[in-house]
Amino acid sequence: MNRIPVHLITGFLGSGKTTFLNRFIKERLPERILVIENECGQTNVDGALVMDGVEEIIELSAGCLCCSLSDGLLDILYEASKRKEQYDRLVIETTGIADPSSIIQVFLQDPRVEKVFDLQQVICLADASQLQSWLDEAEEALRQIALADSVLINKTDRVSDSTRAEVESIVRGINPHARVFAGHNGNFPIDEILDTGTTKPKTVESPQVSSHHHHQHEGQQHNSHRITTFTLTFPYPLDLNNLSLELNRIVNLYHDQVYRVKGYIAIPNYPNRVILQSARSTFVATDGSPWESSSERTGKLVFIGRDLNKQVFERMFNRYMVTD
């Protein structure tokens, strides 16, 4: 069964999420898109989104997804799954103050959700003129960038070229594995954005990063916000059965530090990649695409978190490589 593609749009207050969502919907015509909107407060977005391509708008205005997640979103996804033939894509636009990891977790840990829905991208909008002040004031803004597959720097027409370059450097310092796009009025290359994503091999390849805002030490990136990103590479398959115990240890001991893990590994005598993902307190393994070559099956996992020590995690995982 083909699963419904899901796109999560985040971004702090005033970053232009709804404007981008309108353009996203227009670009994807004639597809039918189901929209889940979540805003804290009484803002009604129906008027902004009544346009061709919108199958339905479901509003969660009673509270933030990050707070009332377990019941509200799961109930909506369950109801949406019963009429999955009526739409082609699902887009969730979060409140500006949401931590995306809670939402990502729902798509990883609930088998009923994973069976029907495929979370393909986490897209973060960032206001070029306000980014630095939000990062200084709000942990959630930092997490939104750190957890994104694509970061869209919006409203670049309101800043100088030097400020734009500085903002791009800050974003790449926080999340060197994200694709970064610059634009204004919500205009961004939708097809290129949709070509990024958690389960796509090129998303977890080694990034090209600037050293202006961080330094590198054995493949590990740091920045002034104490966000750490690094990639572990495995030239041999991993023993997933025994590794599972270590994954439980990671989410129990490091759940406050490890924001996100995403990537793929090889396991012995299996022709497909195994996708490994984690958000908050869940590690999930799912079936991925076939390896192109039986002789070159190199696994890669991207870790994103705060004050992580690459060597600690490298030792954990390397114990489970199968070299014979």
Side-chain angles (χ1 to χ4, degrees), residues 88-102:
D88 305 301
R89 290 182 187 271
L90 172 64
V91 176
I92 300 175
E93 180 189 344
T94 73
T95 175
I97 57 175
D99 177 350
S101 59
S102 298

Side-chain angles (χ1 to χ4, degrees), residues 134-201:
W134 281 127
L135 290 175
D136 292 340
E137 294 177 17
E139 170 75 13
E140 291 82 2
L142 187 64
R143 285 179 178 251
Q144 289 170 359
I145 293 174
L147 295 170
D149 297 304
S150 293
V151 179
L152 314 185
I153 301 176
N154 199 20
K155 305 183 182 181
T156 54
D157 55 324
R158 301 184 183 183
V159 300
S160 65
D161 290 343
S162 61
T163 298
R164 168 181 160 174
E166 179 76 5
V167 168
E168 289 188 23
S169 182
I170 291 170
V171 168
R172 289 193 169 95
I174 295 171
N175 186 348
H177 294 274
R179 288 285 305 276
V180 179
F181 300 89
H184 58 89
N185 295 328
N187 285 301
F188 294 93
I190 304 298
D191 288 342
E192 290 184 46
I193 293 168
L194 294 186
D195 201 32
T196 68
T198 298
T199 62
K200 297 179 186 296

Side-chain angles (χ1 to χ4, degrees), residues 32-297:
R32 303 162 300 169
I33 295 178
L34 177 65
V35 176
I36 297 178
E37 278 278 349
N38 178 225
E39 288 294 341
C40 292
Q42 302 301 316
T43 303
N44 187 297
V45 299
D46 276 310
L49 291 173
V50 175
M51 58 186 302
D52 291 339
V54 177
E55 177 62 28
E56 185 179 348
I57 302 165
I58 301 173
E59 290 192 62
L60 293 176
S61 57
C64 301
L65 275 176
C66 51
C67 306
S68 57
L69 182 61
S70 299
D71 297 326
L73 181 57
L74 280 173
D75 289 345
I76 286 174
L77 291 175
Y78 176 69
E79 291 300 320
S81 70
K82 294 191 292 186
R83 47 191 182 90
K84 57 184 180 294
E85 303 301 326
Q86 299 176 13
Y87 55 94
D88 305 301
R89 290 182 187 271
L90 172 64
V91 176
I92 300 175
E93 180 189 344
T94 73
T95 175
I97 57 175
D99 177 350
S101 59
S102 298
I103 304 166
I104 295 170
Q105 185 178 350
V106 167
F107 288 92
L108 298 184
Q109 72 178 11
D110 194 302
R112 298 169 301 170
V113 173
E114 194 272 336
K115 182 180 179 181
V116 177
F117 298 102
D118 178 16
L119 179 60
Q120 294 193 344
Q121 283 93 27
V122 179
I123 302 167
C124 177
L125 274 290
D127 183 340
S129 64
Q130 299 294 326
L131 175 66
Q132 187 59 69
S133 61
W134 281 127
L135 290 175
D136 292 340
E137 294 177 17
E139 170 75 13
E140 291 82 2
L142 187 64
R143 285 179 178 251
Q144 289 170 359
I145 293 174
L147 295 170
D149 297 304
S150 293
V151 179
L152 314 185
I153 301 176
N154 199 20
K155 305 183 182 181
T156 54
D157 55 324
R158 301 184 183 183
V159 300
S160 65
D161 290 343
S162 61
T163 298
R164 168 181 160 174
E166 179 76 5
V167 168
E168 289 188 23
S169 182
I170 291 170
V171 168
R172 289 193 169 95
I174 295 171
N175 186 348
H177 294 274
R179 288 285 305 276
V180 179
F181 300 89
H184 58 89
N185 295 328
N187 285 301
F188 294 93
I190 304 298
D191 288 342
E192 290 184 46
I193 293 168
L194 294 186
D195 201 32
T196 68
T198 298
T199 62
K200 297 179 186 296
K202 63 181 163 183
T203 302
V204 294
E205 298 297 330
S206 297
Q208 299 296 318
V209 293
S210 165
S211 60
H212 183 64
H213 276 273
H214 57 275
H215 63 273
Q216 297 188 38
H217 177 65
E218 297 182 0
Q220 182 164 315
Q221 287 84 44
H222 306 269
N223 53 73
S224 60
H225 300 285
R226 296 167 55 203
I227 296 294
T228 315
T229 67
F230 57 82
T231 301
L232 299 186
T233 301
F234 309 105
Y236 298 100
L238 297 176
D239 180 350
L240 185 58
N241 289 332
N242 289 319
L243 176 61
S244 297
L245 297 175
E246 201 73 83
L247 300 181
N248 288 331
R249 180 184 171 206
I250 290 173
V251 297
N252 287 326
L253 294 180
Y254 297 97
H255 64 275
D256 288 332
Q257 288 179 264
V258 178
Y259 295 169
R260 187 89 163 95
V261 181
K262 58 183 181 180
Y264 52 87
I265 62 172
I267 62 175
N269 305 314
Y270 191 67
N272 292 0
R273 293 174 174 86
V274 173
I275 305 297
L276 276 185
Q277 298 187 69
S278 175
R280 295 170 70 92
S281 60
T282 304
F283 244 112
V284 176
T286 55
D287 200 28
S289 60
W291 292 98
E292 289 78 11
S293 169
S294 59
S295 61
E296 295 184 8
R297 309 199 317 158

Side-chain angles (χ1 to χ4, degrees), residues 22-35:
N22 274 315
R23 295 192 180 277
F24 182 99
I25 293 166
K26 185 177 180 180
E27 287 274 334
R28 298 309 303 177
L29 286 171
E31 289 183 345
R32 303 162 300 169
I33 295 178
L34 177 65
V35 176

